[in-house]
Amino acid sequence: MTQPLRLGIAGLGTVGVGVVRIVQKHADLLEARCGRKIVISAVSARSRSKNRDVDLSDYAWEDDPVKLAARDDVDVYIELMGGSEGPAKASTEAGIAAGKDIVTANKALLAIHGQALAEAAEAEDQVIRFEAAVAGGIPVVKSLTEGLAGNEINRIMGVMNGSCNYILTRMEDAGLSYEAVFDEANQLGYLEADPELDVGGIDAGHKLALLASIAYGTKVNFAGVDLEGIGSVTIEDIHQAADMGYKIKLLGVAQMTGRGLEQRMSPCLVPDTSPLGQLQGGTNMVVLEGDSVGQIVLRGAGAGEGPTASAVMSDVMDIARGLRISTFGQPAIGLREARSAHSAIPAPYYLRMQLLDKPGALGKVAKLLGEAGISIDRMRQYGHDDTAAPVLIVTHKTTRTALNEALEAFESTDVVSGTPVAIRIEAV
C-alpha cells in the first residue's frame, strides 16, 4: 500500500502534542517500519491560539471535533480529549459512522461505552485501538490481544495509577501523612482536575475493566469493579505493614472464579520483596498470568507525553501495516455478560485496631474471629498509652464475608476503640 495514512487528531494537550512531535520527528522511520507514509491532515482543540511549542501550520484546523472525525482527508481519527460523554463520545461515533478507524487514549469512554462503540465499529469493518488508555507506554493491551492470545488468563494484577503509587511511596519515604502528600501531589500537577478519579481508584478501575474484557471474553463491566481508594490509608498502616514485611499498593486484580468475574481496585498488602512491592514513584506495573506462559511482569511509565504518545503511535502503526484486530481481542458481538463476583477468592488480611486496656481484651477479639471461622497467623502489639494499644493481626486465608462478620461483632464489644482497619494481602 503506497497511499499515506492520514490522521486527524482531536485534543492537543500533553499527549496530542506528543503524537504530533513523533510524526514530525520520525517521519522516515515510521514509513520504513510500516511501508507507507503517516501524515497529519487536520487537528482540533479547544483553543487555536494557545502556544503548544509545536508547529501546526501545515494542518487544517477544525473547531468541532465531530467535523474533524468526518473529514474526507482523514483515515484514522485519534481522540485524545478525554471524558466518557460530550465531544469525545460524539466525535468517536461520527468517526465510526464516516468509516474511520479509531485510536484513543480515553479509558473512561471505553469503560462506559466500549461495547456499543466496538459493535458499531466492527459492523462497518473498522477498528478501535486503545493501547494508550491503559498503563501509558506499557504494551499491555497488545500483550493480551496478541502475545498471550494462546493462553487462558488466570489473573491480571497491577498498579495502574502512578499518582496513587507516588502518594503511597512518598508517604513511606518521607514519613508524611496522606493529607500532606495529597496536597503536595496536587500542587505538582500529578492529580486529575477531579482528584477523586485518581485517589478514589476510578481511573485505575476503568483500566482494569478494559483488561478484564480482553482477558475473559466478557463485555466491559466497569459497574462490576469493587472500588476502594487510598484515602483511608494512614502513615501508621504503612509503617506497621512494613514492619511485618509488606508494602501497601492500590492494586487492581481481575480473575474468573466459579462464582463469576471478580474485579477489585483497592489498597492491598504485597510482599516487600516482590516486584510490585519494590515499585516506586509514578511507575506502573501489570502482572499477567497465563496457563501456558506462567507469570509475566510489565513495568514502565504509566503516563506522560512520551510514553502515552508512543502507545498511540503503536496503534497507528498497526493500522498502517494493515493489522485488523477486534477491539477487545474477539468480535464484540460474541462477548458475554459476566456475573460479578465480589471478593470470591479467600485471602489473608491485615487487621489494625485499638484495643482498650481491659483484662481479656485480646481474648475477646480472638474469640470473635474464631466464631467467624477466621484463624490468626501472626499478631503484634505496640506500645500503648493509659487507655488503649494498637494491635496488628495477620489472619490466615478467609473470605471478606467472614471478615465483615467479625468486624461487625467487634462493634458490640467494649474492648475495641474506633473502627478497625482491614486490608487484603494479595499473593504475588
Side-chain angles (χ1 to χ4, degrees):
M1 186 176 296
T2 58
Q3 293 298 315
L5 185 72
R6 302 166 298 177
L7 313 180
I9 303 173
L12 292 171
T14 300
V15 179
V17 168
V19 172
V20 173
R21 287 190 172 125
I22 290 176
V23 173
Q24 292 178 347
K25 180 180 179 181
H26 295 308
D28 292 341
L29 179 64
L30 300 180
E31 181 179 4
R33 287 179 172 173
C34 68
R36 61 191 296 196
K37 290 183 180 296
I38 294 177
V39 300
I40 298 170
S41 297
V43 296
S44 178
R46 290 178 183 174
S47 170
R48 186 170 185 173
S49 60
K50 180 180 177 180
N51 179 21
R52 297 178 172 87
D53 293 324
V54 65
D55 184 8
L56 303 174
S57 60
D58 289 340
Y59 315 136
W61 181 277
E62 290 283 0
D63 291 320
D64 184 355
V66 172
K67 291 182 179 179
L68 171 65
R71 285 179 64 104
D72 291 337
D73 59 352
V74 167
D75 302 310
V76 179
Y77 174 60
I78 302 178
E79 187 278 300
L80 303 174
M81 296 176 289
S84 62
E85 308 295 335
K89 180 173 180 284
S91 61
T92 299
E93 291 172 336
I96 293 169
K100 316 300 183 184
D101 291 325
I102 307 295
V103 173
T104 181
N106 192 337
K107 80 281 293 184
L109 176 69
L110 294 179
I112 304 301
H113 302 293
Q115 181 67 29
L117 292 172
E119 288 186 13
E122 292 170 23
E124 300 299 326
D125 294 325
Q126 308 306 315
V127 298
I128 300 175
R129 305 299 299 264
F130 59 95
E131 187 68 73
V134 183
I138 300 175
V140 61
V141 173
K142 185 179 283 288
S143 295
L144 282 172
T145 56
E146 298 179 47
L148 302 182
N151 285 254
E152 179 177 291
I153 302 301
N154 299 321
R155 183 171 59 160
I156 298 168
M157 177 171 52
V159 170
M160 304 178 196
N161 185 281
S163 299
C164 287
N165 203 54
Y166 167 83
I167 289 173
L168 293 172
T169 55
R170 174 72 172 149
M171 285 172 67
E172 180 177 19
D173 293 343
L176 298 172
S177 69
Y178 168 79
E179 291 77 14
V181 179
F182 174 92
D183 289 342
E184 178 184 282
N186 211 16
Q187 291 171 9
L188 290 170
Y190 291 171
L191 300 176
E192 298 276 1
D194 177 4
E196 189 63 19
L197 292 173
D198 286 315
V199 299
I202 298 169
D203 168 85
H206 288 150
K207 300 170 186 177
L208 183 68
L210 296 175
L211 295 183
S213 176
I214 299 171
Y216 302 111
T218 58
K219 295 181 179 180
V220 180
N221 182 20
F222 173 64
V225 180
D226 290 330
L227 290 177
E228 179 185 348
I230 62 171
S232 62
V233 177
T234 68
I235 188 63
E236 289 78 18
D237 289 321
I238 288 176
H239 285 161
Q240 290 164 3
D243 194 32
M244 301 183 82
Y246 296 105
K247 302 286 187 182
I248 299 179
K249 300 293 181 183
L250 180 67
L251 193 66
V253 179
Q255 54 197 129
M256 188 62 73
T257 74
R259 297 180 182 178
L261 179 59
E262 181 175 345
Q263 301 178 95
R264 292 181 279 106
M265 184 61 63
S266 62
C268 289
L269 270 67
V270 297
D272 58 11
T273 56
S274 67
L276 284 165
Q278 296 176 21
L279 191 67
Q280 297 291 310
T283 307
N284 282 197
M285 179 177 289
V286 182
V287 180
L288 304 174
E289 297 175 353
D291 64 338
S292 295
V293 75
Q295 185 182 91
I296 65 169
V297 179
L298 304 172
R299 176 185 181 278
E305 176 184 316
T308 311
S310 170
V312 170
M313 288 307 302
S314 170
D315 288 338
V316 170
M317 295 286 284
D318 279 348
I319 292 171
R321 290 165 172 153
L323 182 62
R324 318 291 290 179
I325 295 178
S326 300
T327 307
F328 297 107
Q330 62 188 70
I333 198 170
L335 298 175
R336 58 191 175 89
E337 297 276 1
R339 183 172 69 252
S340 295
H342 303 284
S343 297
I345 304 297
Y349 280 82
Y350 158 100
L351 301 178
R352 176 174 60 83
M353 65 195 75
Q354 290 283 345
L355 286 190
L356 296 177
D357 189 11
K358 293 183 178 182
L362 193 55
K364 287 184 178 181
V365 166
K367 181 174 182 291
L368 291 173
L369 288 171
E371 290 175 350
I374 301 171
S375 61
I376 296 173
D377 177 30
R378 286 183 285 162
M379 183 171 55
R380 189 165 295 175
Q381 179 174 328
Y382 291 84
H384 60 84
D385 56 29
D386 293 337
T387 60
V391 172
L392 302 184
I393 294 174
V394 172
T395 75
H396 286 289
K397 286 184 178 181
T398 185
T399 65
R400 185 70 203 201
T401 300
L403 186 66
N404 288 341
E405 178 185 329
L407 294 176
E408 289 176 11
F410 289 169
E411 296 176 3
S412 63
T413 71
D414 59 353
V415 299
V416 178
S417 175
T419 303
V421 172
I423 305 177
R424 183 183 175 100
I425 301 174
E426 195 70 31
V428 300

